[in-house]
Amino acid sequence: MCDGCHLGGNVNCIKCKYVKQDGACRRSCMNMFYPDGNKECQQCHEECRGGCHGPSQIECNACNNFKVYLDKESWNGQKENCTDADYICRPFNCTHTCPPELPFTEKDQALEGEGTTVCVDESHPIVARRLTQKRNDDKRFVSRHFCKEIVWIQ
């Protein structure tokens, strides 16, 4: 694990071969830590779940609370010319609450089994379908109610 050491073991290293965490050389950082440019393990952002590859909430492997995709094509996991399901193809931000411009939530369709809730707007296909159905239901209710009033008045 060491690239040269003062004494034996992985805590007396001059330089670590892989990464350094809590004063000891290791093969890799523990979960919820990532190696910085100096190969020192740093804590992931608090909104991250399952590890990360950098310090911010846009570098998480998964989210503790809500996921905000940085482009709408990622809502369905349909992104042209995307050859793998990695974060590079579907960049996202992890957040504690949904922003006002994305007031609806849906289960993430892009990653099965992850269970992450995604913040979306009314253009998301599932939300759009639900809103259309609600508007149609409301129109039917008003129509039935209005027709009953007319019959009752006569």
Side-chain angles (χ1 to χ4, degrees):
M1 304 270 187
C2 294
D3 271 350
C5 58
H6 300 294
L7 303 169
N10 66 343
V11 292
N12 298 306
C13 299
I14 296 169
K15 183 179 173 190
C16 294
K17 191 180 284 187
Y18 303 105
V19 297
K20 187 173 191 175
Q21 186 165 1
D22 298 328
C25 291
R26 304 172 51 90
R27 189 168 295 280
S28 62
C29 296
M30 293 187 290
N31 191 30
M32 296 307 296
F33 288 84
Y34 69 95
D36 67 11
N38 297 320
K39 295 196 227 178
E40 295 268 343
C41 295
Q42 304 295 328
Q43 179 93 38
C44 295
H45 190 275
E46 64 188 15
E47 285 300 324
C48 294
R49 181 180 57 162
C52 64
H53 52 275
S56 75
Q57 65 266 33
I58 63 168
E59 296 170 294
C60 301
N61 294 341
C63 301
N64 276 328
N65 294 295
F66 298 99
K67 179 186 279 187
V68 176
Y69 279 111
L70 302 182
D71 59 64
K72 291 184 180 183
E73 291 84 24
S74 293
W75 284 346
N76 300 320
Q78 306 298 322
K79 187 140 184 191
E80 290 184 30
N81 302 321
C82 187
T83 56
D84 68 292
D86 202 0
Y87 65 91
I88 295 169
C89 289
R90 298 179 225 323
F92 61 87
N93 176 38
C94 294
T95 182
H96 186 68
T97 58
C98 289
E101 66 274 11
L102 299 171
F104 301 99
T105 58
E106 283 298 325
K107 286 291 181 195
D108 192 353
Q109 303 297 313
L111 300 172
E112 291 189 26
E114 185 185 311
T116 299
T117 303
V118 183
C119 301
V120 298
D121 65 18
E122 63 281 342
S123 68
H124 184 278
I126 295 172
V127 173
R129 233 182 351 263
R130 284 189 191 137
L131 291 173
T132 299
Q133 182 65 47
K134 181 168 179 1
R135 280 191 293 272
N136 291 339
D137 291 348
D138 289 348
K139 286 178 188 175
R140 280 192 287 273
F141 175 77
V142 169
S143 294
R144 278 187 295 223
H145 184 26
F146 184 69
C147 288
K148 285 180 184 177
E149 291 294 320
I150 291 174
V151 171
W152 184 75
I153 292 172
Q154 294 174 350

